[in-house]
Amino acid sequence: MELITERLRLRPWREQDSEPFARLNADAEVMRYFPAPLTTAESDAMIAKARQRTAEAGVCFQPIEEKASGRFLGFVGLNRPAYPVPLPFDPCVEIGWRLSRGAWGKGYASEAARAWLRFGFETLGLEEIVSFTFIGNDRSRKVMERLGMTRDPAEDFLHPMLTADHPLASHVLYRLSRATWRRGVLSPDAGR
């Protein structure tokens, strides 16, 4: 499956994505809010898992590339999390992203996420899409807010795959219902 936006192509994984994806996952600044950067083998395993999850669940994170240049920018997409320890709000469908530093600050995450939200609500018929991140990840939180997602501090949680005392354990949850998304899409200020 492929989604096209004004500037981006959201497409399935290709073999040639391995090298730029490994570079992205090895960048300490990109991985600042994750436990550690990934090795090339871990990065390749993530691609394999994303392909498998897409085959099994119908969706997972997919690459985005700049239409004009074909440059790999990172990934954005929908995912049905499947951690060994469930999230406090499971079952859910999340929207998430990880972009290379050269793609930051250009609105690519928001642009791609809007296309995935439309797909999730209109094509898949989802009632709600969530997103979550480390409480200090202000860049991602701002994207969530631009998308119209809202946070209830009472739903903040400790990520179940990290120990409670881990410096990155504290997470925030943002939610977006189909009804709220639809109101935002129909609003004259949508996309601002």
Side-chain angles (χ1 to χ4, degrees), residues 25-39:
N25 288 323
D27 185 323
E29 186 60 23
V30 169
M31 300 299 287
R32 179 178 182 186
Y33 300 113
F34 293 89
L38 302 181
T39 66

Side-chain angles (χ1 to χ4, degrees), residues 4-33:
I4 304 293
T5 70
E6 182 182 342
R7 302 177 295 165
L8 305 171
R9 179 172 287 107
L10 292 58
R11 57 163 177 79
W13 291 96
R14 300 177 183 151
E15 293 305 318
Q16 60 265 37
D17 295 329
S18 176
E19 191 273 327
F21 190 53
R23 222 178 20 250
L24 178 152
N25 288 323
D27 185 323
E29 186 60 23
V30 169
M31 300 299 287
R32 179 178 182 186
Y33 300 113

Side-chain angles (χ1 to χ4, degrees), residues 44-148:
D44 287 345
M46 194 172 171
I47 292 174
K49 184 175 180 181
R51 285 178 164 158
Q52 178 184 356
R53 303 257 329 127
T54 300
E56 293 171 358
V59 292
C60 196
F61 303 126
Q62 287 190 201
I64 63 170
E65 66 180 34
E66 199 173 47
K67 276 192 334 192
S69 67
R71 181 171 61 113
F72 177 91
L73 301 174
F75 71 70
V76 178
L78 300 176
N79 180 47
R80 297 179 193 274
Y83 295 108
V85 178
L87 294 164
F89 43 89
D90 272 345
C92 66
V93 174
E94 68 167 314
I95 188 160
W97 44 83
R98 186 178 305 163
L99 275 63
S100 62
R101 272 195 282 167
W104 291 1
K106 296 177 172 59
Y108 291 141
S110 298
E111 183 176 329
R114 282 189 188 95
W116 276 111
L117 289 172
R118 179 175 296 279
F119 179 82
F121 289 127
E122 291 186 349
T123 304
L124 299 180
L126 299 173
E127 289 299 321
E128 179 181 67
I129 297 173
V130 303
S131 194
F132 53 92
T133 190
F134 170 64
I135 196 165
N137 188 347
D138 292 333
R139 282 182 175 275
S140 277
R141 292 180 63 180
K142 286 177 182 170
V143 173
M144 294 170 196
E145 290 163 7
R146 275 195 295 277
L147 296 172

Side-chain angles (χ1 to χ4, degrees), residues 167-182:
L168 298 174
S170 296
H171 274 57
V172 292
L173 172 68
Y174 281 76
R175 295 179 182 269
L176 181 63
S177 70
R178 180 170 31 180
T180 301
W181 171 79
R182 187 162 303 213

